[in-house]
């Protein structure tokens, strides 16, 4: 568990399923390289939600990998997402204790944060100060084996009123991407 030393809030949840997830991701050939189909899906996520940043994110024990990434510049590099970060570009990798996707994977439920600063548990996350994230909308990618492979998410540097419509949209798009992953797996069999 990771605690904020000042407030003792749990920042990053314990992820008991990480080893099984990594095995499943390797079996599927996911989470180790960017893929044009996932970049295209991230582009669509951004278009549908109107968010400047969107990701198809696979998570292992130590890090997150954006196999699909949309940024305002359209470069799929993530450099503009990390422009405000003191450590430089985020690229397609992020530490597991940064961001909100690890919470979504462990909870196995969608998460809507219209303004992350309204939630003490999430306001202290490093992405708030280092990158400037102010709102988040994400849903888990749970495959046919019951494994939470990762997430799809959208973020903004401004608060966003995602509402119930945003929640239903992100959940529907997550189900759509899981079906795409299943079709991909069936093509390999």
């Amino acid at each position: 568990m990771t605690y904020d030393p000042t407030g003792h809030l749990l920042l990053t949840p314990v992820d008991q399923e990480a080893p099984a997830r990594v095995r499943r991701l390797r079996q599927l050939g996911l989470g180790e390289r960017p893929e044009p189909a996932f970049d295209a899906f991230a582009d669509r996520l951004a278009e549908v939600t109107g968010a400047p940043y969107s990701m198809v994110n696979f998570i292992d024990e130590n890090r997150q990998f954006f196999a699909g990434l949309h940024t305002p510049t359209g470069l799929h590099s993530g450099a503009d997402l990390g422009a405000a970060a003191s450590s430089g570009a985020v690229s397609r990798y992020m530490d597991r204790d940064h961001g909100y996707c690890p919470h979504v994977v462990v909870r196995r439920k969608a998460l809507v944060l219209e303004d992350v600063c309204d939630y003490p548990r999430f306001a202290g996350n490093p992405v708030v100060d280092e990158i400037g994230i102010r709102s988040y909308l994400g849903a888990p990618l749970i495959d046919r084996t019951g494994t939470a492979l990762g997430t799809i998410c959208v973020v903004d540097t401004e608060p966003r009123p995602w509402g119930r419509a945003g929640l239903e949209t992100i959940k529907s798009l997550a189900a759509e991407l899981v079906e795409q992953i299943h079709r991909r797996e069936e093509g390999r069999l």
Side-chain angles (χ1 to χ4, degrees):
M1 282 187 251
T2 304
Y3 288 94
D4 172 2
T6 59
H8 302 291
L9 295 174
L10 178 63
L11 297 179
T12 306
V14 174
D15 186 357
Q16 302 289 342
E17 294 182 6
R21 176 180 317 105
V22 170
R23 284 190 301 275
R24 181 68 175 141
L25 288 170
R26 294 228 167 84
Q27 180 184 31
L28 293 167
L30 299 174
E32 296 184 29
R33 66 187 177 285
E35 298 196 23
F38 293 143
D39 282 339
F41 196 89
D43 289 343
R44 185 162 159 250
L45 270 173
E47 181 181 326
V48 168
T49 62
Y53 303 98
S54 60
M55 298 89 168
V56 174
N57 187 8
F58 298 115
I59 302 172
D60 67 20
E61 294 101 329
N62 304 306
R63 67 181 185 184
Q64 303 174 67
F65 176 69
F66 306 132
L69 178 64
H70 171 88
T71 66
T73 63
L75 296 178
H76 301 296
S77 70
D80 53 347
L81 182 62
S86 59
S87 61
V90 172
S91 73
R92 287 191 182 255
Y93 296 95
M94 186 178 285
D95 288 339
R96 191 180 167 284
D97 64 351
H98 283 55
Y100 309 105
C101 291
H103 295 270
V104 171
V105 166
V106 170
R107 290 168 24 125
R108 303 172 66 84
K109 292 173 29 176
L111 178 63
V112 179
L113 300 171
E114 293 182 345
D115 185 342
V116 299
C117 294
D118 289 344
Y119 303 88
R121 178 178 187 174
F122 298 116
N125 195 285
V127 298
V128 175
D129 293 331
E130 293 177 15
I131 301 173
I133 300 302
R134 283 296 300 274
S135 61
Y136 172 91
L137 177 63
L141 299 170
I142 301 174
D143 81 344
R144 70 177 97 213
T145 68
T147 304
L149 303 172
T151 67
I152 60 169
C153 70
V154 295
V155 298
D156 200 336
T157 56
E158 300 293 329
R160 294 283 300 264
W162 304 113
R164 175 75 108 181
L167 176 63
E168 294 307 317
T169 297
I170 201 77
K171 288 166 57 176
S172 173
L173 288 166
E176 182 180 316
L177 185 58
V178 167
E179 285 306 312
Q180 183 178 327
I181 291 168
H182 289 163
R183 286 191 304 273
R184 170 187 163 138
E185 180 181 28
E186 290 163 1
R188 287 189 185 181
L189 300 176

mmCIF file of all heavy atoms in Angstrom, residues 97-142:
data_model
loop_
_atom_site.group_PDB
_atom_site.id
_atom_site.type_symbol
_atom_site.label_atom_id
_atom_site.label_comp_id
_atom_site.label_asym_id
_atom_site.label_seq_id
_atom_site.Cartn_x
_atom_site.Cartn_y
_atom_site.Cartn_z
ATOM 1 N N ASP A 97 1.729 4.194 -9.387
ATOM 2 C CA ASP A 97 1.126 5.023 -8.346
ATOM 3 C C ASP A 97 0.714 6.405 -8.851
ATOM 4 O O ASP A 97 0.288 7.253 -8.073
ATOM 5 C CB ASP A 97 2.048 5.147 -7.135
ATOM 6 C CG ASP A 97 3.350 5.857 -7.442
ATOM 7 O OD1 ASP A 97 3.643 6.116 -8.628
ATOM 8 O OD2 ASP A 97 4.088 6.155 -6.488
ATOM 9 N N HIS A 98 0.803 6.643 -10.158
ATOM 10 C CA HIS A 98 0.335 7.889 -10.752
ATOM 11 C C HIS A 98 -1.013 7.624 -11.432
ATOM 12 O O HIS A 98 -1.194 6.602 -12.077
ATOM 13 C CB HIS A 98 1.324 8.395 -11.799
ATOM 14 C CG HIS A 98 2.530 9.042 -11.220
ATOM 15 N ND1 HIS A 98 3.352 8.429 -10.301
ATOM 16 C CD2 HIS A 98 3.051 10.269 -11.435
ATOM 17 C CE1 HIS A 98 4.332 9.245 -9.984
ATOM 18 N NE2 HIS A 98 4.173 10.373 -10.654
ATOM 19 N N GLY A 99 -1.915 8.559 -11.299
ATOM 20 C CA GLY A 99 -3.188 8.437 -11.998
ATOM 21 C C GLY A 99 -4.214 7.617 -11.252
ATOM 22 O O GLY A 99 -4.020 7.184 -10.118
ATOM 23 N N TYR A 100 -5.329 7.398 -11.947
ATOM 24 C CA TYR A 100 -6.505 6.801 -11.335
ATOM 25 C C TYR A 100 -6.853 5.431 -11.894
ATOM 26 O O TYR A 100 -7.671 4.723 -11.323
ATOM 27 C CB TYR A 100 -7.689 7.767 -11.475
ATOM 28 C CG TYR A 100 -7.289 9.144 -10.990
ATOM 29 C CD1 TYR A 100 -7.037 10.179 -11.885
ATOM 30 C CD2 TYR A 100 -7.091 9.378 -9.632
ATOM 31 C CE1 TYR A 100 -6.613 11.425 -11.427
ATOM 32 C CE2 TYR A 100 -6.671 10.611 -9.171
ATOM 33 C CZ TYR A 100 -6.432 11.633 -10.078
ATOM 34 O OH TYR A 100 -6.013 12.846 -9.626
ATOM 35 N N CYS A 101 -6.235 5.049 -12.995
ATOM 36 C CA CYS A 101 -6.529 3.743 -13.599
ATOM 37 C C CYS A 101 -6.256 2.570 -12.663
ATOM 38 O O CYS A 101 -7.028 1.613 -12.661
ATOM 39 C CB CYS A 101 -5.784 3.585 -14.922
ATOM 40 S SG CYS A 101 -6.428 4.677 -16.229
ATOM 41 N N PRO A 102 -5.194 2.588 -11.859
ATOM 42 C CA PRO A 102 -5.008 1.471 -10.923
ATOM 43 C C PRO A 102 -6.197 1.295 -9.970
ATOM 44 O O PRO A 102 -6.532 0.170 -9.595
ATOM 45 C CB PRO A 102 -3.728 1.847 -10.171
ATOM 46 C CG PRO A 102 -2.960 2.658 -11.176
ATOM 47 C CD PRO A 102 -4.019 3.481 -11.871
ATOM 48 N N HIS A 103 -6.854 2.376 -9.598
ATOM 49 C CA HIS A 103 -8.047 2.284 -8.753
ATOM 50 C C HIS A 103 -9.182 1.595 -9.508
ATOM 51 O O HIS A 103 -9.897 0.770 -8.952
ATOM 52 C CB HIS A 103 -8.504 3.675 -8.302
ATOM 53 C CG HIS A 103 -7.527 4.354 -7.411
ATOM 54 N ND1 HIS A 103 -7.555 4.227 -6.041
ATOM 55 C CD2 HIS A 103 -6.473 5.160 -7.697
ATOM 56 C CE1 HIS A 103 -6.571 4.925 -5.513
ATOM 57 N NE2 HIS A 103 -5.904 5.498 -6.496
ATOM 58 N N VAL A 104 -9.336 1.954 -10.778
ATOM 59 C CA VAL A 104 -10.402 1.369 -11.596
ATOM 60 C C VAL A 104 -10.182 -0.133 -11.757
ATOM 61 O O VAL A 104 -11.120 -0.924 -11.651
ATOM 62 C CB VAL A 104 -10.481 2.074 -12.974
ATOM 63 C CG1 VAL A 104 -11.432 1.351 -13.911
ATOM 64 C CG2 VAL A 104 -10.900 3.529 -12.788
ATOM 65 N N VAL A 105 -8.942 -0.541 -11.992
ATOM 66 C CA VAL A 105 -8.631 -1.964 -12.177
ATOM 67 C C VAL A 105 -8.907 -2.751 -10.897
ATOM 68 O O VAL A 105 -9.519 -3.807 -10.939
ATOM 69 C CB VAL A 105 -7.166 -2.139 -12.659
ATOM 70 C CG1 VAL A 105 -6.709 -3.578 -12.527
ATOM 71 C CG2 VAL A 105 -7.038 -1.671 -14.092
ATOM 72 N N VAL A 106 -8.466 -2.234 -9.767
ATOM 73 C CA VAL A 106 -8.668 -2.947 -8.502
ATOM 74 C C VAL A 106 -10.152 -2.955 -8.112
ATOM 75 O O VAL A 106 -10.677 -3.981 -7.688
ATOM 76 C CB VAL A 106 -7.791 -2.345 -7.383
ATOM 77 C CG1 VAL A 106 -8.165 -2.918 -6.017
ATOM 78 C CG2 VAL A 106 -6.317 -2.599 -7.679
ATOM 79 N N ARG A 107 -10.834 -1.839 -8.287
ATOM 80 C CA ARG A 107 -12.265 -1.755 -7.963
ATOM 81 C C ARG A 107 -13.127 -2.537 -8.943
ATOM 82 O O ARG A 107 -14.242 -2.919 -8.619
ATOM 83 C CB ARG A 107 -12.743 -0.297 -8.000
ATOM 84 C CG ARG A 107 -12.237 0.575 -6.921
ATOM 85 C CD ARG A 107 -12.520 2.061 -7.197
ATOM 86 N NE ARG A 107 -13.639 2.309 -8.080
ATOM 87 C CZ ARG A 107 -14.685 3.068 -7.799
ATOM 88 N NH1 ARG A 107 -14.764 3.654 -6.636
ATOM 89 N NH2 ARG A 107 -15.647 3.263 -8.672
ATOM 90 N N ARG A 108 -12.613 -2.667 -10.190
ATOM 91 C CA ARG A 108 -13.337 -3.342 -11.265
ATOM 92 C C ARG A 108 -14.642 -2.619 -11.602
ATOM 93 O O ARG A 108 -15.606 -3.213 -12.040
ATOM 94 C CB ARG A 108 -13.593 -4.805 -10.908
ATOM 95 C CG ARG A 108 -12.322 -5.579 -10.593
ATOM 96 C CD ARG A 108 -12.583 -6.961 -10.068
ATOM 97 N NE ARG A 108 -13.194 -7.809 -11.070
ATOM 98 C CZ ARG A 108 -12.548 -8.484 -12.011
ATOM 99 N NH1 ARG A 108 -11.245 -8.408 -12.095
ATOM 100 N NH2 ARG A 108 -13.209 -9.248 -12.858
ATOM 101 N N LYS A 109 -14.634 -1.312 -11.403
ATOM 102 C CA LYS A 109 -15.800 -0.473 -11.671
ATOM 103 C C LYS A 109 -15.328 0.840 -12.285
ATOM 104 O O LYS A 109 -14.228 1.314 -11.986
ATOM 105 C CB LYS A 109 -16.564 -0.167 -10.377
ATOM 106 C CG LYS A 109 -17.225 -1.371 -9.779
ATOM 107 C CD LYS A 109 -17.865 -1.189 -8.433
ATOM 108 C CE LYS A 109 -18.381 0.151 -8.090
ATOM 109 N NZ LYS A 109 -19.062 0.213 -6.791
ATOM 110 N N ALA A 110 -16.195 1.426 -13.092
ATOM 111 C CA ALA A 110 -15.889 2.724 -13.685
ATOM 112 C C ALA A 110 -15.741 3.778 -12.589
ATOM 113 O O ALA A 110 -16.294 3.643 -11.496
ATOM 114 C CB ALA A 110 -16.979 3.116 -14.669
ATOM 115 N N LEU A 111 -14.993 4.816 -12.916
ATOM 116 C CA LEU A 111 -14.753 5.898 -11.970
ATOM 117 C C LEU A 111 -14.941 7.230 -12.682
ATOM 118 O O LEU A 111 -14.379 7.455 -13.759
ATOM 119 C CB LEU A 111 -13.326 5.799 -11.411
ATOM 120 C CG LEU A 111 -12.869 6.875 -10.427
ATOM 121 C CD1 LEU A 111 -13.714 6.849 -9.149
ATOM 122 C CD2 LEU A 111 -11.393 6.672 -10.096
ATOM 123 N N VAL A 112 -15.746 8.090 -12.071
ATOM 124 C CA VAL A 112 -15.997 9.426 -12.593
ATOM 125 C C VAL A 112 -15.504 10.433 -11.569
ATOM 126 O O VAL A 112 -15.967 10.447 -10.432
ATOM 127 C CB VAL A 112 -17.510 9.654 -12.833
ATOM 128 C CG1 VAL A 112 -17.755 11.062 -13.360
ATOM 129 C CG2 VAL A 112 -18.082 8.613 -13.770
ATOM 130 N N LEU A 113 -14.537 11.255 -11.979
ATOM 131 C CA LEU A 113 -14.037 12.334 -11.135
ATOM 132 C C LEU A 113 -14.180 13.624 -11.931
ATOM 133 O O LEU A 113 -13.327 13.947 -12.763
ATOM 134 C CB LEU A 113 -12.569 12.100 -10.752
ATOM 135 C CG LEU A 113 -12.266 10.821 -9.977
ATOM 136 C CD1 LEU A 113 -10.762 10.619 -9.853
ATOM 137 C CD2 LEU A 113 -12.930 10.849 -8.620
ATOM 138 N N GLU A 114 -15.262 14.342 -11.692
ATOM 139 C CA GLU A 114 -15.500 15.566 -12.462
ATOM 140 C C GLU A 114 -14.480 16.638 -12.115
ATOM 141 O O GLU A 114 -14.057 17.396 -12.980
ATOM 142 C CB GLU A 114 -16.932 16.044 -12.248
ATOM 143 C CG GLU A 114 -17.912 15.047 -12.855
ATOM 144 C CD GLU A 114 -19.360 15.458 -12.739
ATOM 145 O OE1 GLU A 114 -19.688 16.368 -11.953
ATOM 146 O OE2 GLU A 114 -20.168 14.855 -13.478
ATOM 147 N N ASP A 115 -14.089 16.704 -10.844
ATOM 148 C CA ASP A 115 -12.987 17.560 -10.404
ATOM 149 C C ASP A 115 -12.246 16.780 -9.328
ATOM 150 O O ASP A 115 -12.756 16.600 -8.222
ATOM 151 C CB ASP A 115 -13.508 18.888 -9.852
ATOM 152 C CG ASP A 115 -12.377 19.849 -9.491
ATOM 153 O OD1 ASP A 115 -11.216 19.413 -9.332
ATOM 154 O OD2 ASP A 115 -12.653 21.055 -9.367
ATOM 155 N N VAL A 116 -11.050 16.304 -9.667
ATOM 156 C CA VAL A 116 -10.315 15.453 -8.737
ATOM 157 C C VAL A 116 -10.039 16.154 -7.421
ATOM 158 O O VAL A 116 -9.896 15.500 -6.388
ATOM 159 C CB VAL A 116 -8.997 14.918 -9.358
ATOM 160 C CG1 VAL A 116 -9.282 14.087 -10.584
ATOM 161 C CG2 VAL A 116 -8.029 16.040 -9.679
ATOM 162 N N CYS A 117 -10.007 17.478 -7.430
ATOM 163 C CA CYS A 117 -9.732 18.227 -6.207
ATOM 164 C C CYS A 117 -10.883 18.169 -5.211
ATOM 165 O O CYS A 117 -10.712 18.513 -4.050
ATOM 166 C CB CYS A 117 -9.375 19.673 -6.545
ATOM 167 S SG CYS A 117 -7.818 19.776 -7.460
ATOM 168 N N ASP A 118 -12.043 17.700 -5.652
ATOM 169 C CA ASP A 118 -13.184 17.534 -4.754
ATOM 170 C C ASP A 118 -13.083 16.264 -3.914
ATOM 171 O O ASP A 118 -13.910 16.045 -3.030
ATOM 172 C CB ASP A 118 -14.500 17.476 -5.546
ATOM 173 C CG ASP A 118 -14.887 18.826 -6.135
ATOM 174 O OD1 ASP A 118 -14.337 19.858 -5.700
ATOM 175 O OD2 ASP A 118 -15.740 18.837 -7.042
ATOM 176 N N TYR A 119 -12.105 15.413 -4.191
ATOM 177 C CA TYR A 119 -11.974 14.118 -3.531
ATOM 178 C C TYR A 119 -10.609 14.030 -2.859
ATOM 179 O O TYR A 119 -9.600 13.816 -3.541
ATOM 180 C CB TYR A 119 -12.118 12.980 -4.542
ATOM 181 C CG TYR A 119 -13.427 13.032 -5.294
ATOM 182 C CD1 TYR A 119 -13.545 13.767 -6.473
ATOM 183 C CD2 TYR A 119 -14.547 12.367 -4.811
ATOM 184 C CE1 TYR A 119 -14.750 13.826 -7.158
ATOM 185 C CE2 TYR A 119 -15.752 12.425 -5.489
ATOM 186 C CZ TYR A 119 -15.846 13.155 -6.662
ATOM 187 O OH TYR A 119 -17.038 13.217 -7.334
ATOM 188 N N PRO A 120 -10.525 14.193 -1.541
ATOM 189 C CA PRO A 120 -9.227 14.166 -0.866
ATOM 190 C C PRO A 120 -8.392 12.939 -1.208
ATOM 191 O O PRO A 120 -7.174 13.032 -1.344
ATOM 192 C CB PRO A 120 -9.597 14.191 0.621
ATOM 193 C CG PRO A 120 -10.919 14.881 0.655
ATOM 194 C CD PRO A 120 -11.619 14.441 -0.612
ATOM 195 N N ARG A 121 -9.031 11.803 -1.371
ATOM 196 C CA ARG A 121 -8.290 10.579 -1.692
ATOM 197 C C ARG A 121 -7.572 10.684 -3.033
ATOM 198 O O ARG A 121 -6.514 10.124 -3.226
ATOM 199 C CB ARG A 121 -9.247 9.392 -1.717
ATOM 200 C CG ARG A 121 -8.574 8.107 -2.092
ATOM 201 C CD ARG A 121 -9.528 6.950 -2.053
ATOM 202 N NE ARG A 121 -8.807 5.714 -2.266
ATOM 203 C CZ ARG A 121 -9.336 4.536 -2.186
ATOM 204 N NH1 ARG A 121 -10.609 4.400 -1.866
ATOM 205 N NH2 ARG A 121 -8.615 3.463 -2.404
ATOM 206 N N PHE A 122 -8.165 11.403 -3.988
ATOM 207 C CA PHE A 122 -7.603 11.488 -5.329
ATOM 208 C C PHE A 122 -6.874 12.793 -5.608
ATOM 209 O O PHE A 122 -6.055 12.866 -6.517
ATOM 210 C CB PHE A 122 -8.715 11.283 -6.361
ATOM 211 C CG PHE A 122 -9.361 9.932 -6.263
ATOM 212 C CD1 PHE A 122 -10.694 9.806 -5.919
ATOM 213 C CD2 PHE A 122 -8.632 8.780 -6.506
ATOM 214 C CE1 PHE A 122 -11.290 8.559 -5.823
ATOM 215 C CE2 PHE A 122 -9.215 7.527 -6.404
ATOM 216 C CZ PHE A 122 -10.549 7.407 -6.063
ATOM 217 N N ALA A 123 -7.139 13.831 -4.839
ATOM 218 C CA ALA A 123 -6.518 15.138 -5.076
ATOM 219 C C ALA A 123 -5.015 15.118 -4.840
ATOM 220 O O ALA A 123 -4.285 15.906 -5.438
ATOM 221 C CB ALA A 123 -7.176 16.199 -4.193
ATOM 222 N N GLY A 124 -4.548 14.208 -3.986
ATOM 223 C CA GLY A 124 -3.120 14.134 -3.688
ATOM 224 C C GLY A 124 -2.321 13.312 -4.674
ATOM 225 O O GLY A 124 -1.109 13.161 -4.524
ATOM 226 N N ASN A 125 -2.951 12.794 -5.706
ATOM 227 C CA ASN A 125 -2.246 11.974 -6.684
ATOM 228 C C ASN A 125 -1.224 12.824 -7.434
ATOM 229 O O ASN A 125 -1.503 13.973 -7.764
ATOM 230 C CB ASN A 125 -3.251 11.354 -7.661
ATOM 231 C CG ASN A 125 -2.642 10.229 -8.452
ATOM 232 O OD1 ASN A 125 -1.872 10.465 -9.362
ATOM 233 N ND2 ASN A 125 -2.984 9.005 -8.088
ATOM 234 N N PRO A 126 -0.042 12.274 -7.711
ATOM 235 C CA PRO A 126 1.004 13.052 -8.393
ATOM 236 C C PRO A 126 0.587 13.668 -9.730
ATOM 237 O O PRO A 126 1.131 14.701 -10.120
ATOM 238 C CB PRO A 126 2.122 12.030 -8.606
ATOM 239 C CG PRO A 126 1.908 10.996 -7.562
ATOM 240 C CD PRO A 126 0.424 10.934 -7.350
ATOM 241 N N VAL A 127 -0.379 13.083 -10.436
ATOM 242 C CA VAL A 127 -0.756 13.643 -11.737
ATOM 243 C C VAL A 127 -1.430 15.002 -11.615
ATOM 244 O O VAL A 127 -1.465 15.767 -12.584
ATOM 245 C CB VAL A 127 -1.648 12.689 -12.573
ATOM 246 C CG1 VAL A 127 -0.918 11.409 -12.896
ATOM 247 C CG2 VAL A 127 -2.981 12.421 -11.890
ATOM 248 N N VAL A 128 -1.934 15.330 -10.433
ATOM 249 C CA VAL A 128 -2.584 16.626 -10.248
ATOM 250 C C VAL A 128 -1.546 17.744 -10.324
ATOM 251 O O VAL A 128 -1.677 18.672 -11.124
ATOM 252 C CB VAL A 128 -3.371 16.682 -8.918
ATOM 253 C CG1 VAL A 128 -3.946 18.068 -8.674
ATOM 254 C CG2 VAL A 128 -4.469 15.628 -8.911
ATOM 255 N N ASP A 129 -0.500 17.643 -9.529
ATOM 256 C CA ASP A 129 0.524 18.695 -9.516
ATOM 257 C C ASP A 129 1.526 18.568 -10.652
ATOM 258 O O ASP A 129 1.928 19.569 -11.238
ATOM 259 C CB ASP A 129 1.275 18.683 -8.179
ATOM 260 C CG ASP A 129 0.388 19.095 -7.020
ATOM 261 O OD1 ASP A 129 -0.558 19.872 -7.250
ATOM 262 O OD2 ASP A 129 0.629 18.629 -5.891
ATOM 263 N N GLU A 130 1.937 17.355 -10.976
ATOM 264 C CA GLU A 130 2.984 17.174 -11.979
ATOM 265 C C GLU A 130 2.498 17.361 -13.407
ATOM 266 O O GLU A 130 3.245 17.821 -14.263
ATOM 267 C CB GLU A 130 3.621 15.784 -11.838
ATOM 268 C CG GLU A 130 4.390 15.608 -10.550
ATOM 269 C CD GLU A 130 4.952 14.205 -10.389
ATOM 270 O OE1 GLU A 130 4.999 13.452 -11.377
ATOM 271 O OE2 GLU A 130 5.332 13.870 -9.258
ATOM 272 N N ILE A 131 1.260 16.977 -13.679
ATOM 273 C CA ILE A 131 0.764 17.013 -15.052
ATOM 274 C C ILE A 131 -0.408 17.982 -15.204
ATOM 275 O O ILE A 131 -0.676 18.468 -16.285
ATOM 276 C CB ILE A 131 0.377 15.595 -15.525
ATOM 277 C CG1 ILE A 131 1.600 14.673 -15.434
ATOM 278 C CG2 ILE A 131 -0.151 15.611 -16.948
ATOM 279 C CD1 ILE A 131 1.288 13.225 -15.711
ATOM 280 N N GLY A 132 -1.114 18.267 -14.122
ATOM 281 C CA GLY A 132 -2.229 19.206 -14.182
ATOM 282 C C GLY A 132 -3.577 18.575 -14.458
ATOM 283 O O GLY A 132 -4.516 19.249 -14.864
ATOM 284 N N ILE A 133 -3.711 17.270 -14.211
ATOM 285 C CA ILE A 133 -4.991 16.589 -14.447
ATOM 286 C C ILE A 133 -6.015 17.100 -13.440
ATOM 287 O O ILE A 133 -5.766 17.127 -12.241
ATOM 288 C CB ILE A 133 -4.837 15.056 -14.321
ATOM 289 C CG1 ILE A 133 -3.829 14.524 -15.340
ATOM 290 C CG2 ILE A 133 -6.198 14.362 -14.452
ATOM 291 C CD1 ILE A 133 -4.143 14.818 -16.774
ATOM 292 N N ARG A 134 -7.198 17.468 -13.927
ATOM 293 C CA ARG A 134 -8.271 17.942 -13.049
ATOM 294 C C ARG A 134 -9.523 17.091 -13.131
ATOM 295 O O ARG A 134 -10.355 17.144 -12.242
ATOM 296 C CB ARG A 134 -8.627 19.387 -13.390
ATOM 297 C CG ARG A 134 -7.644 20.403 -12.878
ATOM 298 C CD ARG A 134 -7.555 20.452 -11.364
ATOM 299 N NE ARG A 134 -8.781 20.778 -10.690
ATOM 300 C CZ ARG A 134 -9.212 21.998 -10.449
ATOM 301 N NH1 ARG A 134 -8.512 23.036 -10.798
ATOM 302 N NH2 ARG A 134 -10.357 22.192 -9.825
ATOM 303 N N SER A 135 -9.706 16.344 -14.232
ATOM 304 C CA SER A 135 -10.881 15.475 -14.304
ATOM 305 C C SER A 135 -10.504 14.165 -14.984
ATOM 306 O O SER A 135 -9.578 14.115 -15.792
ATOM 307 C CB SER A 135 -12.040 16.159 -15.033
ATOM 308 O OG SER A 135 -11.690 16.469 -16.346
ATOM 309 N N TYR A 136 -11.254 13.125 -14.609
ATOM 310 C CA TYR A 136 -10.948 11.767 -15.069
ATOM 311 C C TYR A 136 -12.254 11.007 -15.255
ATOM 312 O O TYR A 136 -13.186 11.137 -14.460
ATOM 313 C CB TYR A 136 -10.087 11.057 -14.017
ATOM 314 C CG TYR A 136 -9.874 9.589 -14.288
ATOM 315 C CD1 TYR A 136 -8.784 9.151 -15.022
ATOM 316 C CD2 TYR A 136 -10.768 8.627 -13.808
ATOM 317 C CE1 TYR A 136 -8.581 7.795 -15.272
ATOM 318 C CE2 TYR A 136 -10.581 7.280 -14.063
ATOM 319 C CZ TYR A 136 -9.482 6.876 -14.795
ATOM 320 O OH TYR A 136 -9.284 5.547 -15.045
ATOM 321 N N LEU A 137 -12.282 10.191 -16.292
ATOM 322 C CA LEU A 137 -13.404 9.290 -16.546
ATOM 323 C C LEU A 137 -12.798 8.003 -17.092
ATOM 324 O O LEU A 137 -12.135 8.027 -18.127
ATOM 325 C CB LEU A 137 -14.352 9.921 -17.570
ATOM 326 C CG LEU A 137 -15.558 9.119 -18.030
ATOM 327 C CD1 LEU A 137 -16.503 8.844 -16.872
ATOM 328 C CD2 LEU A 137 -16.280 9.888 -19.137
ATOM 329 N N GLY A 138 -12.976 6.887 -16.379
ATOM 330 C CA GLY A 138 -12.365 5.637 -16.822
ATOM 331 C C GLY A 138 -13.213 4.430 -16.490
ATOM 332 O O GLY A 138 -14.045 4.465 -15.581
ATOM 333 N N ALA A 139 -12.986 3.348 -17.265
ATOM 334 C CA ALA A 139 -13.714 2.095 -17.051
ATOM 335 C C ALA A 139 -12.752 0.930 -17.252
ATOM 336 O O ALA A 139 -11.831 0.996 -18.073
ATOM 337 C CB ALA A 139 -14.891 1.982 -18.020
ATOM 338 N N PRO A 140 -12.971 -0.166 -16.509
ATOM 339 C CA PRO A 140 -12.089 -1.326 -16.632
ATOM 340 C C PRO A 140 -12.356 -2.123 -17.910
ATOM 341 O O PRO A 140 -13.474 -2.126 -18.438
ATOM 342 C CB PRO A 140 -12.430 -2.162 -15.399
ATOM 343 C CG PRO A 140 -13.857 -1.828 -15.119
ATOM 344 C CD PRO A 140 -14.029 -0.383 -15.504
ATOM 345 N N LEU A 141 -11.318 -2.788 -18.371
ATOM 346 C CA LEU A 141 -11.407 -3.719 -19.493
ATOM 347 C C LEU A 141 -11.359 -5.121 -18.902
ATOM 348 O O LEU A 141 -10.282 -5.657 -18.625
ATOM 349 C CB LEU A 141 -10.247 -3.503 -20.467
ATOM 350 C CG LEU A 141 -10.170 -2.121 -21.112
ATOM 351 C CD1 LEU A 141 -8.847 -1.949 -21.856
ATOM 352 C CD2 LEU A 141 -11.358 -1.893 -22.024
ATOM 353 N N ILE A 142 -12.518 -5.712 -18.661
ATOM 354 C CA ILE A 142 -12.599 -7.043 -18.046
ATOM 355 C C ILE A 142 -12.906 -8.048 -19.141
ATOM 356 O O ILE A 142 -13.952 -7.979 -19.776
ATOM 357 C CB ILE A 142 -13.657 -7.074 -16.930
ATOM 358 C CG1 ILE A 142 -13.292 -6.038 -15.860
ATOM 359 C CG2 ILE A 142 -13.769 -8.478 -16.338
ATOM 360 C CD1 ILE A 142 -14.320 -5.861 -14.777
#
